Amino acid sequence: MLNRVILIGRLTRDPELRYTPAGVAVTQFTLAVDRPFTSNQGQREADFIPIVTWRQLAETCANYLRKGRLAAVEGRIQVRNYDNNEGRRVYVTEVIADNVRFLESANSANRDDSGMGMSGGGGNSGGGNRGSYGGGREQQDPFQDDGRPIDISDDDLPF
């Protein structure tokens, strides 16, 4: 059996950091993930997926993620239920994240030159800022020659 989810999307609001009575940090936020097709009116639609993080990852997300930032989330789907004030059973489906990768730095949230930012996961602290690749040079698009034949010799192939 397998329950694994990987999502990339933008936060719809700032993460909410709370603590359990035992002092364990928990953060909740919602990720807007675009659907791979358009509606009949030609507009893109999105799914709004609730995300929950725990412990050190929760504190890292609360400190560094903000509304509108692009993030990748890896985790598992969990369905829980409870009885509301009216006595009705309510079912909640959410992703319990064990790895969150910040795909934009704080300065590039509204620009096109997003790079890898900080990451956290599985109770580990954030992985630090990776910064830009290439020692300050402008990043090259690795797919800029898309559509042209690539010259690869048989010696370059691993199989």
Side-chain angles (χ1 to χ4, degrees), residues 14-68:
D14 289 350
E16 294 178 24
L17 176 64
R18 296 182 182 172
Y19 290 90
T20 66
V24 178
V26 58
T27 299
Q28 295 179 321
F29 57 92
T30 302
L31 206 63
V33 179
D34 288 338
R35 292 182 179 172
F37 53 86
T38 57
S39 67
N40 291 339
Q41 293 80 22
Q43 295 179 347
R44 290 256 313 175
E45 295 180 355
D47 292 302
F48 299 91
I49 301 169
I51 310 294
V52 178
T53 60
W54 291 90
R55 298 175 183 78
Q56 181 65 41
L57 180 57
E59 292 177 341
T60 302
C61 287
N63 288 333
Y64 295 104
L65 283 177
R66 295 289 172 260
K67 177 181 177 178

Side-chain angles (χ1 to χ4, degrees), residues 31-152:
L31 206 63
V33 179
D34 288 338
R35 292 182 179 172
F37 53 86
T38 57
S39 67
N40 291 339
Q41 293 80 22
Q43 295 179 347
R44 290 256 313 175
E45 295 180 355
D47 292 302
F48 299 91
I49 301 169
I51 310 294
V52 178
T53 60
W54 291 90
R55 298 175 183 78
Q56 181 65 41
L57 180 57
E59 292 177 341
T60 302
C61 287
N63 288 333
Y64 295 104
L65 283 177
R66 295 289 172 260
K67 177 181 177 178
R69 296 254 179 94
L70 189 65
V73 173
E74 183 180 1
R76 62 183 171 83
I77 293 177
Q78 175 177 288
V79 179
R80 60 183 173 88
N81 62 67
Y82 64 92
D83 294 328
N84 67 9
N85 295 338
E86 299 169 356
R88 291 188 177 154
R89 180 146 295 177
V90 178
Y91 290 89
V92 179
T93 302
E94 54 201 2
V95 173
I96 308 301
D98 52 34
N99 190 8
V100 175
R101 199 158 293 266
F102 307 159
L103 300 179
E104 289 181 325
S105 65
N107 297 333
S108 67
N110 295 321
R111 299 186 317 197
D112 289 334
D113 62 341
S114 62
M116 295 300 287
M118 301 177 93
S119 67
N124 296 332
S125 61
N129 193 344
R130 292 185 177 184
S132 62
Y133 301 103
R137 292 182 289 138
E138 188 172 323
Q139 293 182 3
Q140 295 287 331
D141 181 3
F143 302 106
Q144 69 187 17
D145 294 332
D146 193 28
R148 290 194 220 158
I150 300 173
D151 184 27
I152 299 177

